[in-house]
């Protein structure tokens, strides 16, 4: 029985249903789940959307409709906060192996291969569902934010609908057969008879710079392996909104066969019309495309339905909120000291901040914990955005946000991060992440508010499947924000409601504690580099990171520079809002006799300063105790410019708190480097090289002494290089092949003896 026949047998008002469940930390998985829910109507389906923590809205124990899971991963492979209880529930050992034998599911996992435990939450849920008897009707997709989620996301969603209809048809057919008594004894049934025969093939990933070819395929890389149905078609159907819809008197999109829009890359003033168009060779950029993209038919996302009604009302007097809206969950602490750690013309500027937490005795932290700093959007950028939206004169007006009465968005809600009775200025300063990179759905929505036909076409290209490479190159990889994008497309005039619908909540920025309460009671230290975003196409001038730039401006009047004494008459101390983020895993061993190794180049050394301060105090208080070896691998560019905490680290060596300090300088003279590291000249330029130089001792600690290894710092390069080096070390020491070495390292992860605190 095919799906059409099933539909004909149903009352016209009843549509087949499916369940969409999501687990999301920052909103990406939720947004994708909402998009799938909305698109379901176009396929004659009714989708019921719920967050995984809303267990009152769904019941998997009795669910007989197809279920689609969309889940992200956070931290060191952990489930999102709103998924923790669900994962805890399905992990119960009391559940039988046929607990979910009735369940028919598909799963899309979101992750980032720059981080450890790629898509771990999705893999955990899938593994457990299968252990409990659930059947998969569509291959799992593993979307990688490291190269662009859409590379896997778009074809996965496209193939999902055929798989769902196949599953529904099979399930309906089975139920009909059972009703007629056509089904034999259950013992003779195939174990997966409740789901359709679906061929599950690996989805090949293209290089993200060649994604414009929608039908292109290359061999999949194991790091990015992402499964999808083989039914995904390489032939795409153009969408109707690309047909010319120009207002009278304005230039329209050039119509081509089939109603597909095309825009010439020629400069407008050189066009002569008709067959005599004179083309000007231009380089591709954010605002200009080149063939074949400029001549391609496009497949753009479905226009997201608007769902918010936003109005601005002038008020006589308004009690303006100052600072973050969730103050009750935060601690306002003064900065008691600020010092620059780098010297001279160092490439990066590293700063140490000391905050006073005496007023919050309950705010106890352990070395290895981190905490969030809540910062506002930059004043100049807020002002520029107000002007760009034409709302500069309404900055003090009260913002009223409500749901559109006729919205078609499923489960539409007023964003919880938009408080009541706030001004427009406050909304843009404290509530919305105006620095976030616009998603393709946002670009698609902006198309509707763009008047110039050439600019409109370019926005369509950037959000299309064919323009994926350009989107990555000119928007995503450059970290362009909405203000920079609007500056590049001056005829785009979006309403305020569109920004509130598409911009995420302004997120706090996490930092590792760089101190121990035993050494600095009532104090909390943290270290950071001032992030710099260089100028690029779409960004005429460089800019600083949001939080690091804000902190730098805030503490500049009281900043102490290397080699200079602190002023006795410093200005009033600024205050910041923080909240503690305990990390129960990234902590020194509770048993002091356990040896451990720390790898932390640059500011990645921060948590290990806390580790060593704690260890030094413990040794002083328990001189008779047995303490295991401690190793620190630190690296930086130059010994004399950015060797952070040099005096303190050398002091730890002198007191025997730190057994081995291995330092390397990637830009200094190699003879100096060899002298510092006691390694052959030219070898130890980075921390992974020093690890390799000490391979026998390190592998002995990890494989024979039950020791631990901690890595903190850059995820994209350093952490990967260290991981690869560890595999090589294990291969050599154990005389095993690559696979066995990888298994051994994975075992250390599972035992929580190989821990990472890394960032992109």
């Amino acid at each position: 029985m095919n799906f059409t026949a099933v539909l004909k047998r149903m009352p016209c008002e009843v549509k087949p249903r499916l369940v969409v469940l999501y687990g999301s930390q920052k909103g990406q998985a939720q947004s994708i789940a909402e998009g799938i829910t909305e698109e379901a109507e176009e396929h004659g389906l009714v989708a019921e959307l719920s967050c995984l923590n809303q267990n009152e809205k769904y019941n998997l124990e009795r669910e007989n409709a197809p279920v689609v899971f969309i889940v992200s991963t956070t931290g060191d492979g952990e489930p999102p906060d709103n998924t923790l209880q669900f994962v805890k529930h399905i992990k119960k050992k009391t559940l039988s192996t046929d607990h979910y034998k009735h369940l028919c599911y598909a799963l899309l996992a979101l992750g980032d291969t720059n981080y450890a435990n790629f898509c771990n939450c999705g893999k955990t849920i899938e593994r457990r569902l299968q252990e409990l008897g659930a059947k998969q009707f569509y291959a799992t997709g593993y979307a990688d934010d490291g190269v662009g989620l859409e590379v896997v996301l778009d074809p996965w969603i496209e193939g999902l609908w055929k798989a769902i209809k196949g599953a529904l048809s099979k399930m309906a057919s089975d139920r009909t057969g059972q009703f007629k008594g056509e089904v034999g004894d259950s013992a003779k049934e195939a174990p997966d008879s409740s789901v359709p025969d679906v061929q599950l093939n690996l989805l090949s990933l293209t290089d993200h710079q060649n994604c414009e070819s929608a039908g292109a395929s290359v061999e999949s890389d194991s790091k990015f392996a992402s499964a999808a149905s083989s039914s995904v078609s390489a032939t795409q159907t153009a969408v109707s909104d690309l047909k010319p819809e120009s207002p009278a008197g304005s230039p329209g999109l050039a119509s081509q066969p089939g109603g597909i829009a095309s825009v010439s890359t020629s400069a407008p003033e050189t066009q002569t019309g008709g067959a005599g168009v004179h083309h000007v060779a231009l380089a591709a950029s954010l605002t200009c495309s080149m063939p074949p993209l400029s001549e391609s038919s496009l497949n753009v996302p479905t226009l997201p339905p608007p769902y918010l009604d936003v109005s601005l009302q002038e008020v006589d007097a308004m009690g303006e909120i100052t600072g973050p809206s969730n103050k009750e969950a935060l601690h306002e602490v003064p900065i008691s000291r600020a010092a620059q750690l780098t010297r001279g013309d160092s490439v990066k500027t590293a700063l140490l901040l000391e905050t006073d937490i005496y007023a919050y005795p309950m705010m106890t932290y352990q070395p290895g914990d981190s905490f969030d700093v809540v910062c506002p959007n930059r004043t100049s950028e807020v002002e520029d955005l107000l002007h760009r939206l034409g709302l500069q004169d309404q900055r003090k007006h009260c913002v009223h946000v409500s749901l559109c009465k006729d919205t078609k968005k499923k489960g539409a809600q007023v964003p919880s991060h938009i408080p009541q009775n706030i001004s427009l200025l406050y909304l843009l300063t404290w509530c919305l992440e105006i620095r976030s990179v616009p998603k393709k759905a946002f670009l698609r929505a902006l198309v509707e508010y763009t008047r110039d036909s050439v600019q409109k076409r370019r926005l369509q290209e950037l959000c299309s499947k064919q323009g994926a490479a350009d989107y990555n190159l000119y928007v995503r990889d450059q970290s362009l924000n909405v203000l920079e994008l609007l500056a590049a497309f001056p005829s785009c005039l979006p309403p305020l409601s569109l920004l509130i619908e598409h911009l995420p909540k302004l997120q706090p920025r996490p930092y590792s504690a760089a101190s121990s309460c035993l050494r600095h009671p009532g104090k909390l230290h943290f270290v950071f580099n001032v992030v710099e975003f260089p100028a690029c196409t779409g960004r005429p001038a460089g800019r600083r990171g949001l939080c690091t730039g804000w902190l730098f401006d805030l503490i500049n009047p009281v900043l102490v520079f290397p080699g200079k004494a602190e002023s006795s008459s410093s200005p009033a101390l600024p205050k910041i809002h923080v909240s503690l983020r305990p990390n129960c895993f990234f902590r020194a061993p509770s048993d002091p006799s356990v040896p451990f190794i720390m790898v932390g180049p640059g500011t990645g050394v921060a948590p290990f300063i806390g580790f060593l301060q704690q260890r030094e105090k413990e040794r002083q208080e328990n001189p008779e105790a047995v303490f295991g070896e401690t190793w620190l691998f630190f690296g930086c560019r130059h010994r004399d410019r950015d060797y952070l905490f040099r005096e303190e680290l050398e002091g730890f060596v002198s007191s025997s708190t730190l057994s081995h300090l291995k330092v390397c300088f990637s830009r200094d003279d190699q003879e100096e480097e060899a002298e510092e590291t006691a390694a052959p000249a030219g070898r130890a330029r980075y921390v992974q090289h020093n690890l390799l130089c000490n391979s026998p001792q390190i592998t002995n600690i990890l494989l024979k002494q039950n020791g631990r290894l901690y890595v903190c710092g850059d995820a994209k390069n350093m952490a990967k290089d260290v991981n690869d080096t560890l595999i090589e070390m294990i291969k050599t020491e154990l005389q095993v092949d690559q696979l066995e070495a990888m298994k051994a390292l994975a075992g250390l992860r599972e035992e929580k003896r190989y821990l990472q605190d890394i960032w992109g």
Side-chain angles (χ1 to χ4, degrees), residues 456-567:
K456 189 170 192 172
R457 163 72 188 197
R458 184 55 174 155
L459 284 172
Q460 289 169 331
E461 290 172 352
L462 290 172
C463 71
S464 71
K465 292 180 181 178
Q466 290 78 6
D470 276 19
Y471 171 80
N472 283 339
L473 185 61
Y474 299 117
V475 180
R476 185 176 181 272
D477 295 348
Q478 302 297 341
S479 296
L480 289 194
N481 58 45
V482 63
L483 185 59
E484 292 163 342
L485 192 73
L486 291 177
F489 296 90
S491 76
C492 181
L493 301 172
L496 177 63
S497 59
L498 202 68
L499 271 67
I500 298 177
E501 288 175 357
H502 287 273
L503 292 181
K505 174 185 177 182
L506 179 60
Q507 294 287 340
R509 271 51 177 177
Y511 297 92
S512 297
S515 56
S516 164
C517 289
L518 295 183
R519 168 75 74 85
H520 300 283
K523 302 289 184 180
L524 171 64
H525 294 185
F526 67 101
V527 182
F528 62 92
N529 285 324
V530 179
V531 178
E532 300 283 353
F533 291 94
C536 64
T537 174
R539 186 188 302 123
R543 56 174 164 83
R544 286 177 174 159
L546 179 61
C547 193
T548 61
W550 174 71
L551 286 170
F552 180 81
D553 292 340
L554 194 67
I555 56 114
N556 198 39
V558 297
L559 188 60
V560 177
F561 294 93
K564 294 186 179 180
E566 298 185 34
S567 173

Side-chain angles (χ1 to χ4, degrees), residues 44 68 91 102 189 192 242 251 286 298-299 357 366 370 378 386 424 453 460 481 547 581 601 684 686 742:
V68 178
K91 280 187 172 182
H102 60 282
E189 291 182 358
D192 60 350
L242 288 184
L286 173 66
L298 301 177
N299 302 92
I357 60 173
Q366 296 291 325
S370 59
R378 196 166 185 83
L386 284 168
L424 175 57
S453 61
Q460 289 169 331
N481 58 45
C547 193
R581 295 182 63 175
Y686 300 103
M742 292 173 67

